[in-house]
Amino acid sequence: ADLGFLKSTLNVMRLSQSMAQCVWADDNPLLTLPLVTLEVVKALSRHGVNSLSDLLRRAATPGSAAAVLRQAGLGTRQAQGAAQVLDQLPHLRVEGTVTWE
């Protein structure tokens, strides 16, 4: 940052992440699931699913994520495959506190 390379470094990090996930940093994260297209993302949005977190919340019971993906237009096998990938993603919960002194 002191030498003026912060912006370039952050851009390289974003590009690296985009290459690893095969989607651009500003694309919807749902596109990281196999066979999920923009049309499927739009259909998921109509069902109240706008992010991977929303889909994970819907996946509280076995098979429910696949059901939502089927409603969005994926076939049965494609929805099951995408749901399996969703199950393999790390589930993180971050908590924090801010204090003023």
Side-chain angles (χ1 to χ4, degrees):
D2 292 338
L3 299 175
F5 294 117
L6 177 61
K7 186 174 182 178
S8 296
T9 303
L10 291 175
N11 284 334
V12 168
M13 289 172 59
R14 285 187 194 103
L15 178 62
S16 174
Q17 181 178 3
S18 294
M19 291 172 67
Q21 294 180 330
C22 298
V23 294
W24 293 110
D26 57 350
D27 283 347
N28 189 307
L30 289 166
L31 292 170
T32 60
L33 296 175
L35 302 171
V36 172
T37 62
L38 281 175
E39 292 78 23
V40 173
V41 169
K42 289 176 186 175
L44 286 169
S45 180
R46 288 191 293 273
H47 292 284
V49 176
N50 297 303
S51 66
L52 290 170
S53 310
D54 292 342
L55 189 54
L56 281 169
R57 278 189 222 105
R58 294 278 185 104
T61 59
S64 55
V68 172
L69 290 165
R70 278 194 309 276
Q71 290 173 354
L74 288 181
T76 301
R77 283 189 176 190
Q78 291 87 0
Q80 288 172 345
Q84 285 177 347
V85 170
L86 182 67
D87 288 340
Q88 294 173 0
L89 293 175
H91 301 253
L92 301 176
R93 181 176 174 190
V94 179
E95 294 182 20
T97 1
V98 177
T99 57
W100 288 106
E101 292 187 26

